[in-house]
Amino acid sequence: EVMTPWLPGTHVEEGVVLMRLDTGLLDQEVGVAEAAVVEAERTLDSQDVEERGAASAAGLALESFELAQAEEGRILSLFTAGDAAASERDRARGVRLDAARALDLAQTALARAGARRSALEASLERAKASASLARERRSRAVLVAPFEGHLVGRGPAVGTHLSPGEQFGELHDLESLDIRVAVPEERLGGLAEGGEASVRLSAEPSRARQGLV
């Protein structure tokens, strides 16, 4: 889509759409990138649930270990005093060792859940960055006038193939110009730096513009 009419001297306001490229593929790219963000967020939410479960299990395992450790200490005191059998001591020790192994497994699971969460957070940030980049590329498919001015030359025809970096038109700000003009030698004596000058541009031949030499 190209602005019409695009003719030499056409006046355009700042922000006017000059050209809109076909965004079909870019729309697909944005859709895929945004879907990846949604999936990454869903996966991270699931990991939050898993991590909370691991934290709860680790907390219960710690409580069980501390209870087993305290019970073993109590039985050892009784055994030393001759008030408990060796079998009771051995049983208390076995319970404490089982609780220690369970605690180690629970804490390992919690650490793995935390590491997985960190990896998923990084994946989410990468997905967001990719989506932002895709949206930015799509936004560049709509070319607007960066300032008020006049078009120079004719615009590209619909269907024209443009390569990256290829110029497709010119927009000139005619309110502030540096103009080079050829002055006949016999008139150089009437010029002085800072003197007033009047010019007419081909884009606006009916309008005289005032300036300084």
Side-chain angles (χ1 to χ4, degrees):
E1 177 184 347
V2 179
M3 187 199 79
T4 55
W6 186 315
L7 300 172
T10 300
H11 175 264
V12 296
E13 299 287 343
E14 179 180 355
V16 168
V17 175
L18 300 176
M19 184 168 64
R20 191 188 309 273
L21 304 179
D22 182 7
T23 60
L25 293 177
L26 295 174
D27 289 338
Q28 293 180 16
E29 182 181 342
V30 170
V32 170
E34 290 181 341
V37 171
V38 172
E39 180 61 27
E41 290 175 338
R42 184 182 298 115
T43 303
L44 185 57
D45 288 342
S46 297
Q47 182 61 27
D48 285 341
V49 174
E50 179 182 335
E51 188 173 3
R52 286 195 296 271
S56 177
L60 292 174
L62 178 60
E63 290 180 7
S64 296
F65 172 75
E66 290 174 343
L67 288 173
Q69 194 174 42
E71 180 63 12
E72 182 186 23
R74 186 182 72 82
I75 294 298
L76 282 175
S77 296
L78 292 174
F79 177 77
T80 302
D83 295 329
S87 59
E88 292 179 288
R89 179 201 61 188
D90 293 343
R91 184 169 59 253
R93 181 174 182 274
V95 171
R96 191 260 303 168
L97 290 175
D98 287 344
R101 284 191 289 268
L103 175 60
D104 182 63
L105 289 174
Q107 290 178 334
T108 299
L110 178 59
R112 287 176 177 172
R116 177 166 167 75
R117 174 184 173 79
S118 297
L120 290 175
E121 287 175 338
S123 295
L124 176 58
E125 290 306 310
R126 288 194 295 270
K128 287 181 177 179
S130 295
S132 177
L133 183 60
R135 286 190 293 268
E136 182 182 354
R137 281 196 291 265
R138 184 175 62 180
S139 71
R140 292 178 180 174
V142 179
L143 306 175
V144 301
F147 51 82
E148 181 182 357
H150 291 77
L151 296 172
V152 178
R154 294 182 178 275
V158 174
T160 300
H161 179 271
L162 296 175
S163 302
E166 182 178 351
Q167 179 175 312
F168 66 89
E170 292 184 34
L171 177 65
H172 288 184
D173 178 4
L174 302 184
E175 297 304 318
S176 178
L177 298 174
D178 290 329
I179 302 175
R180 292 186 178 183
V181 297
V183 180
E185 184 176 352
E186 63 272 14
R187 301 188 62 180
L188 290 177
L191 295 179
E193 184 176 354
E196 294 184 354
S198 177
V199 296
R200 293 180 185 274
L201 305 177
S202 58
E204 292 183 312
S206 63
R207 178 183 175 186
R209 295 174 180 270
Q210 304 303 314
L212 299 176
V213 177

